[in-house]
Every structure is written in C-alpha cells, then in structure tokens.
Amino acid sequence: MQGIQMDLLSEDRLSRMTTVEKVRFILDEVKSGKILVLERGLTPQEEASLIEMTMTLIEPDDFSGIEMETYPAHEDTSIMGKLFKKQPKTRLTVIGPANKIKTLRKDRDMITALVSATK
Amino acid sequence: MGVIRSLKKNFSGFFRKLFNKKNARIGIYGPPNAGKTTLANRILRDWTGDAMGSVSNIAHETRRARRREGVTIQANGNSLTLDVIDTPGLATKIDFHEFMEQGMNEADSKRRAKEATEGVIEAVKWLENLDGVILVMDATEDPFTQVNVTVIGNMEARNLPLLIVANKIDLPESAPSTIRDAFPQHPLVAISALEGNNIDTLYEEIAKRFG
C-alpha cells in the first residue's frame, strides 16, 4: 500500500530529549518522508534551531526544506501572568517535508494542510 | 554556554540602564519580500542620507545580514541611536525551482538557493544578539506564518521589545487590521516603506519602544 506515514508524538516522547536531539530526530524523520504532529510542539528557540538546521540540509533536487506550522502561543493576560512572565507555552506543531505538505490556511486555532503523495 | 550568554546579556542590560545609554541593536526581520530592505533603506536615507542595499521582487534578494551602526533617529524630542541590522528573509524551505520560475537560469537559481540558506542561518543567529526587533509583515498577506510566529515567540521568550510593521499599505488589498487582530499583544504601525506613508509615526514608535 502506498501512502504517507504520519506520526503523532506525545509530549512525553519529546520531553526526554535535548534541543539538539529533538531537532536531529525531527529532521531525520521528515527527511525520510514522514509527517510529524507534535502534541506539545517546540519552544520558539527550538523552532529557530530547527529552521537553522534545516537550512544546512537543503540540497537541490533532494531536500528543499520543511513545512512547519504552530499556533501562536496564548498570552497570559492575568495580573499574575504579567507579573511572573513565564516562557510562552508551546502548542501543537505540524512538520513535514516541503514537497509533501502544504499549508492551505492557518489562524489562531486551526491549521489546514494538504498532504500529497506526489512531489 | 547559555548561562554565560544570559549573564552577559543581563549585565549589559544593567549597565545600559545604569548609564542611560540610548543605543540599541535592532534587527529588521520578516518573511522574504515583506519589504525589510525597503524599510532599512527608508530609515537610512531619512537619517543618514545613505542606503542599505538593493531590493528586488525576486525572493531572497538580501542573502547576507547588513549592519549599519550609529543611525540616530529623532522623534518627539527624543534622540535614539540604533545599530540597524537588515536580515535575509526567514524561511523554512528554499526550492531553487522557484527562482527558475522567476526567470533565472538553473545554475544561478541553485547558487541563489545556496546563498539564501546561508542567509537564513545568519538571520537566525542574529536573533540571539539583539536588543529588539522590527518585524516587517506584508499587509496584503496572511499574517499567521511560521516565520512571524517564531520571531515573535523568540522575542517574547527573551522578554525583548518587538515592534510590528504592517508594510505595503499603499496597495489597495492591504489589510493591516488583520495583522493587528492576529497579534494584539504587540504594538503595530501600518506604513508603506516604499511611499513613506506614516513613516513619522513609525519613528515615534521606534523611539518609544527601543529608547
């Protein structure tokens, strides 16, 4: 059967990894053609590292990069939240090979993506 | 390494506040073709009579970060000296075929793609060395791009000031209110970097936000 593998990754699975391990793992999986849905997503710094590392792997006619989409984090507007500003909470993230996944629409709470088996 | 960098940043911020030194290193960020270099050129022409770099409709025209030190802006009676860093457009994918569709030959397209990837790496590295960011968005495009979300998230995580610029309001299809609704927690100025519309308001906001 032909198709595209989609892995749904729990927060626990990624929380045991360092940033480098996460980025390496994600890119290995995506380069092999998989689409990943991360339950807890990545921190903004991890997203930046992932973009940086992706750029080092781009090769003409082989790997053109990733499609990655995350919702914007909700801001804690409570007084306590503003007083004790914490790291922004991460949210669900979808990552896949740029030649197989295309974001059709994204807003604050919804990501619509088209997945294609052909290049 | 992270701890040392954090300590350095805290000390640098402390001494800047202590001596009230109004000098900030500001990065101009955004997706390709949002108008970052057009804005950088506008700022430099207005305050130094010079320009930062060339602009083009083909994405990734800026493939190296360009830095101009000591740009003094005056607004509302305040004077603020900035180091302005014009960064290459951030992207998660770069396909040389897209340059070929713009009329470039294959060799040039592959070369530009290679340089563009290096530019993105450089832009990401600069994120860690700034006092604040001007995030330029194309007001005719969907604001919920990963690049915008990532840049905003990084500034919020570092607790650094961010100013959103909704560019291209000279175009009839522009909708800066869409950007304002998408990211209401940050100040926004709607401008046309090309035509200079509302540029004085931008300078006032820069002085207020980064001063």
Side-chain angles (χ1 to χ4, degrees):
Chain A
M1 186 178 81
Q2 269 204 327
I4 293 174
Q5 184 173 330
M6 184 178 288
D7 287 353
L8 311 179
L9 288 160
S10 72
E11 180 183 1
D12 286 349
R13 173 78 184 263
L14 285 183
S15 66
R16 292 193 289 267
M17 299 181 189
T18 64
T19 297
V20 174
E21 286 169 342
K22 271 185 213 175
V23 168
R24 192 74 251 177
F25 169 77
I26 290 166
L27 283 172
D28 284 348
E29 297 290 274
V30 169
K31 276 198 84 181
S32 73
K34 291 180 194 168
I35 291 167
L36 306 179
V37 181
L38 316 184
E39 181 191 22
R40 196 41 152 166
L42 299 169
T43 67
Q45 294 96 329
E46 287 168 344
E47 286 172 5
S49 295
L50 181 59
I51 293 173
E52 188 181 344
M53 185 59 77
T54 299
M55 290 299 123
T56 66
L57 298 178
I58 289 179
E59 285 175 29
D61 295 319
D62 181 30
F63 180 63
S64 61
I66 61 171
E67 184 78 23
M68 169 170 64
E69 294 298 349
T70 314
Y71 309 114
H74 280 310
E75 193 194 19
D76 188 351
T77 52
S78 67
I79 293 171
M80 293 302 279
K82 284 184 173 171
L83 275 175
F84 302 100
K85 195 160 187 164
K86 292 179 288 188
Q87 286 276 89
K89 285 206 170 97
T90 54
R91 305 180 76 193
L92 181 143
T93 296
V94 183
I95 308 170
N99 62 351
K100 286 188 178 165
I101 183 168
K102 183 178 188 316
T103 303
L104 297 181
R105 190 170 161 273
K106 174 181 170 183
D107 61 29
R108 184 163 287 283
D109 296 299
M110 182 170 164
I111 296 166
T112 307
L114 177 72
V115 179
S116 165
T118 55
K119 191 173 178 181
Chain B
M1 192 67 189
V3 176
I4 292 170
R5 192 181 295 138
S6 169
L7 279 172
K8 257 173 77 179
K9 189 179 283 179
N10 286 341
F11 272 114
S12 136
F14 172 74
F15 281 110
R16 190 179 300 121
K17 278 179 186 160
L18 189 66
F19 297 108
N20 198 23
K21 187 186 170 196
K22 290 198 168 183
N23 191 325
R25 192 159 43 192
I26 303 302
I28 300 177
Y29 275 79
N33 278 349
K36 297 178 295 299
T37 301
T38 305
L39 175 60
N41 284 343
R42 169 71 59 179
I43 294 171
L44 259 62
R45 283 202 186 102
D46 283 353
W47 300 103
T48 71
D50 209 351
M52 188 70 96
S54 59
V55 295
S56 157
N57 287 330
I58 301 177
H60 298 287
E61 176 68 17
T62 303
R63 297 184 295 284
R64 297 307 308 249
R66 287 183 284 230
R67 177 178 180 176
R68 180 62 61 89
E69 296 181 350
V71 180
T72 301
I73 287 176
Q74 288 171 351
N76 277 349
N78 295 321
S79 178
L80 172 68
T81 301
L82 303 174
D83 293 347
V84 180
I85 297 107
D86 179 28
T87 67
L90 280 179
T92 59
K93 57 191 176 219
I94 293 172
D95 186 344
F96 77 93
H97 294 100
E98 288 176 12
F99 298 123
M100 290 179 72
E101 286 165 13
Q102 298 284 324
M104 296 177 75
N105 66 40
E106 187 172 332
D108 286 345
S109 297
K110 285 182 175 173
R111 191 177 312 115
R112 178 173 282 236
K114 174 97 178 85
E115 290 169 359
T117 60
E118 291 165 0
V120 175
I121 292 168
E122 196 178 12
V124 171
K125 287 190 189 305
W126 264 108
L127 265 179
E128 294 188 359
N129 294 294
L130 296 169
D131 300 310
V133 157
I134 296 173
L135 178 56
V136 183
M137 301 187 195
D138 183 336
T140 69
E141 299 280 337
D142 177 7
F144 284 109
T145 67
Q146 189 59 40
V147 166
N148 294 339
V149 170
T150 300
V151 172
I152 289 173
N154 271 267
M155 290 298 104
E156 287 175 348
R158 293 186 170 88
N159 209 10
L160 291 174
L162 170 83
L163 176 60
I164 296 174
V165 169
N167 191 25
K168 306 191 185 183
I169 59 166
D170 54 303
L171 300 178
E173 64 271 32
S174 75
S177 58
T178 310
I179 300 175
R180 202 184 303 274
D181 293 344
F183 304 106
Q185 70 273 36
H186 294 288
L188 177 146
V189 182
I191 67 158
S192 165
L194 190 66
E195 305 286 339
N197 303 347
N198 218 19
I199 205 75
D200 288 336
T201 308
L202 175 63
Y203 294 140
E204 285 169 18
E205 198 60 45
I206 286 175
K208 196 160 81 181
R209 193 80 180 133
F210 303 121

